[in-house]
Amino acid sequence: MTDVARRLPSTRTGTLPAPLRAGNSVAYNPPMTPCDLLIQCRWCIPVAPSDAPIDDAAIAVAGERIVAVGPRAEVEGAFAPQTVISLDRHAVIPGLVNAHGHAAMTLLRGAAEDLPLQDWLNEVIWPLEAAHLSRDYVRDGTDLALAEMLSMGITTFSDMYYFPDEVARCAARAGMRAEVAFPILDFPNIWSRNADEALHKGMSLYDDYRDDPLIDMVFGPHAAYTVSREALEKTAMYAEELNRPVQTHLHENAAEVADARSRVGQSWIYYLHELGLLSPSLQAVHMTQLTDHELDLVALHNVNVIHCPHSNLKLASGICPVERLSEAGVNVALGTDGAASNNALDLLAEARLAALLAKQTSGDTTKADAARMLRMATLGGARALGLHKETGSLEPGKLADLVAFDLGAPRFAPVRDPVSTLIHGAPSGAVSHVWVGGRCLYEDKGFKTMDIDAIGARAERWRDIVH
Ligand SMILES: [Zn+2]
């Protein structure tokens, strides 16, 4: 075997070889592997296996998946792309994962300001929804949310709202990745008369979307205080049978926990534990009120916690103890919650707020560093939704869910560390490109699958109807 033959690479997805030279005059060029897209960028932040930025990087994509990530010279030397895109002022990161929201609530943006949670919900939100909700409303509100999320770099979102089939249709039409938690509520609503009907309809949707490349259907009991014990037990049983996640609002504020004590004689966390719902499949949203023992219980059962700091602060609900949870080994993800309590669907703004809260509440500036917050906004979210083997980081084999931020504007200069610029520099408006599963949905700030003018006009019409 010659020297050259011994040095030929056996795979194209591992470490790539430098161009080889045989003898002293004949250049040997290894065969190039074809791929669909090669993205050249100033920085690439893969998040995993390493969260260190790669300077002057390239990402090769074949079909819907990433096939290589690394220094540009290495990737370019090994791949023959159909299309090359050069982003020489940009940072490319994994698509952001919004792990909790109610997309169609964009139509209630600004409708209930400066109210405590229970009044916000009982006096304004639920009556407005009861009066105005329809399939068209959910379609128009969801389309509006999808356009906003995409322009903020969100490629995967979780949703819990009425007409989950309509939400799934909107996401599929836009080309975005969605985990739709079909809503389970005891009281009659526009989508279901009771929890049994919600479970029945939701599981039928699960069958419809079982093999869909973009949409996952999961269980969404709204909260322990709006779903009966019997329905929660059925949810636990069916979710375990189908091996599906369960998302629920849990311990959002102190009044909710006090109410639990008077209704079931214990906190909702102990109550859900008794019903068998604490498990790695549970996505517990909010969790601002936690005793040490409850925190241990959550850690013991590997429950995922979804932190929605903006919504929690706006409704004066409390602060999720993210650092204590993380130190106990709990996976924490980030969510925007609905636009009626936020009012923006900007996940990097949530990451920044979460970092500031963690630093302030711990009195320790070393907590919640930028790399950890970016991981929480990407891989942490994917893990919470059970999608971490497919998305959440830029690694060969994973789906090509990518976002490019143009950090060339003077307001970011000089960029010393692109990761801290992403978390603390408020760069959401600098998103230039978004790909989901290798498909470009947003290019040079233009939507490729959505008619943004029509979406905006439809939303404006609802403002005059919903009040
Ligand atoms: Zn919520």
Side-chain angles (χ1 to χ4, degrees), residues 100-102 249 285-286 337-338:
H100 176 67
H102 313 278
H249 297 98
V285 183
H286 298 310
D337 213 348

Side-chain angles (χ1 to χ4, degrees), residues 290-308:
L290 282 174
T291 64
D292 286 347
H293 189 252
E294 285 166 347
L295 192 147
D296 290 343
L297 200 58
V298 163
L300 183 70
H301 291 278
N302 291 312
V303 170
N304 296 279
V305 169
I306 298 168
H307 179 32
C308 304

Side-chain angles (χ1 to χ4, degrees), residues 191-407:
W191 189 65
S192 62
R193 279 164 299 181
N194 51 43
D196 270 344
E197 191 184 29
L199 279 163
H200 179 74
K201 288 175 87 168
M203 285 192 291
S204 153
L205 281 178
Y206 162 71
D207 273 342
D208 294 347
Y209 282 94
R210 194 195 290 253
D211 299 319
D212 194 280
L214 289 172
I215 312 297
D216 273 312
M217 280 285 165
V218 308
F219 292 78
H222 169 264
Y225 60 87
T226 46
V227 185
S228 69
R229 182 186 183 99
E230 188 197 353
L232 286 171
E233 281 171 341
K234 282 185 188 168
T235 299
M237 184 181 77
Y238 293 137
E240 196 184 339
E241 239 169 58
L242 299 173
N243 192 24
R244 295 277 70 202
V246 177
Q247 183 170 104
T248 195
H249 297 98
L250 190 58
H251 284 215
E252 183 166 359
N253 69 5
E256 180 195 318
V257 180
D259 179 49
R261 297 226 162 78
S262 66
R263 285 166 66 170
V264 295
Q266 57 188 335
S267 78
W268 294 124
I269 289 176
Y270 290 117
Y271 177 73
L272 292 192
H273 179 47
E274 197 176 289
L275 303 186
L277 271 160
L278 297 194
S279 81
S281 300
L282 186 65
Q283 303 162 9
V285 183
H286 298 310
M287 302 286 265
T288 72
Q289 317 290 321
L290 282 174
T291 64
D292 286 347
H293 189 252
E294 285 166 347
L295 192 147
D296 290 343
L297 200 58
V298 163
L300 183 70
H301 291 278
N302 291 312
V303 170
N304 296 279
V305 169
I306 298 168
H307 179 32
C308 304
H310 197 125
S311 174
N312 294 153
L313 291 177
K314 192 166 182 230
L315 293 167
S317 297
I319 298 169
C320 176
V322 170
E323 285 305 301
R324 285 168 53 217
L325 284 162
S326 298
E327 280 158 15
V330 176
N331 177 51
V332 181
L334 292 167
T336 57
D337 213 348
S341 62
N342 188 312
N343 302 3
L345 307 181
D346 179 350
L347 202 77
L348 282 183
E350 302 294 330
R352 176 162 63 151
L353 198 50
L356 299 178
L357 282 171
K359 287 176 191 298
Q360 180 61 37
T361 52
S362 65
D364 182 349
T365 55
T366 66
K367 301 286 189 193
D369 62 86
R372 202 162 86 67
M373 298 319 290
L374 186 61
R375 179 179 287 256
M376 197 180 283
T378 52
L379 196 53
R383 184 175 298 281
L385 302 185
L387 301 174
H388 54 290
K389 291 191 178 136
E390 292 286 63
T391 190
S393 59
L394 304 184
E395 296 178 84
K398 278 198 168 182
L399 292 163
D401 295 350
L402 315 161
V403 183
F405 291 80
D406 179 357
L407 301 185

